[in-house]
Amino acid sequence: MYDFRIEAADKASLYAELIAAAGALTDGEPDAVANMANVAALLWESLPELNWAGFYRNVGGMLVLGPFQGRPACIRIPFGRGVCGAAAATLEPQCVADVHAFPGHIACDAASRSELVVPIVAEGRLLGVLDLDSPAPGRFDQEDVEGCVKLIQRLETALASMAEEGTRG
Ligand code: SME
C-alpha cells in the first residue's frame, strides 16, 4: 500500500525525505500505536546499518517496549538504566559510539555496537523514547541526532497518546 523509496545522496536529504514520509504516513491518524509501528518500519527500511529500530513508552514512570523492528527486546527498562533509561532520566538524546563502554548498557542483541536514543517530550512530559541500534561501531553522528530530533518533533501530534496509559493514574 505504501511504497516509500528513500535513496538520498546525503544525510541531510535522507532525513528531510524521511520526515516527509513519516508525516505522510501518520498525518490524520490519532492512534499512536499504529503510528509508532509505521514509523519503526519506515526507519528500518530507510536507514542503513540498523539491527533494531523502535519505541519504548513511558508507562507509569517505566520504559515499556513499544512497536519496533528487529529482534525481540527487553520489555521494561527503569529510568536511569542503560542508554534508553539515560535518555528518559535526562530528557537529552544519547548518542553512544561504543555501547560496550556505556555503563549499564542493556544488551538486548549482542550484535549491537552503537546506539542513538531520542527522548519524546511533549509539554514537558516524557512520552517515551525512540531507540536505534546498529551493529557498526560509531554508526550515528550529530546529523543523525539532529535528524531524529526533528523527526520526533514532526511526529509530536502523531505520538501524543503513546504514554496515555501511564500518565492516567
Ligand atoms: N540497549 C538498550 C536497550 C534497548 S535495546 O537495545 C532494544 C539500552 O541500553 O538502553
Side-chain angles (χ1 to χ4, degrees):
M1 180 177 178
Y2 298 107
D3 192 10
F4 292 103
R5 279 180 209 289
I6 298 179
E7 288 162 4
D10 52 60
K11 275 195 192 182
S13 357
L14 171 68
Y15 279 104
E17 287 184 38
L18 193 55
I19 290 165
L25 271 173
T26 58
D27 279 347
E29 175 50 65
D31 190 296
V33 173
N35 290 333
M36 284 186 277
N38 259 341
V39 171
L42 182 69
L43 290 166
W44 182 254
E45 287 281 307
S46 313
L47 294 179
E49 290 189 292
L50 298 185
N51 64 329
W52 205 88
F55 294 89
Y56 280 87
R57 301 161 299 128
N58 174 9
V59 179
M62 170 80 76
L63 291 175
V64 180
L65 186 63
F68 69 94
Q69 299 277 314
R71 298 184 73 181
C74 352
I75 299 169
R76 290 175 182 270
I77 302 177
F79 285 18
R81 264 211 71 203
V83 186
C84 290
T90 60
L91 301 183
E92 293 292 337
Q94 304 291 313
C95 184
V96 179
D98 176 6
V99 294
H100 295 164
F102 191 91
H105 169 250
I106 304 161
C108 291
D109 181 345
S112 294
R113 292 300 311 278
S114 57
E115 184 161 358
L116 170 58
V117 182
V118 175
I120 303 168
V121 182
E123 293 167 6
R125 231 165 30 98
L126 180 79
L127 300 182
V129 302
L130 169 68
D131 183 16
L132 301 176
D133 286 59
S134 172
R139 156 69 181 79
F140 306 102
D141 61 16
Q142 197 50 35
E143 280 192 289
D144 293 294
V145 176
E146 283 161 21
C148 287
V149 166
K150 279 192 196 150
L151 171 72
I152 291 306
Q153 283 166 353
R154 172 66 178 81
L155 296 175
E156 196 179 318
T157 309
L159 301 176
S161 65
M162 72 186 274
E164 213 172 303
E165 196 188 333
T167 50
R168 217 176 273 149

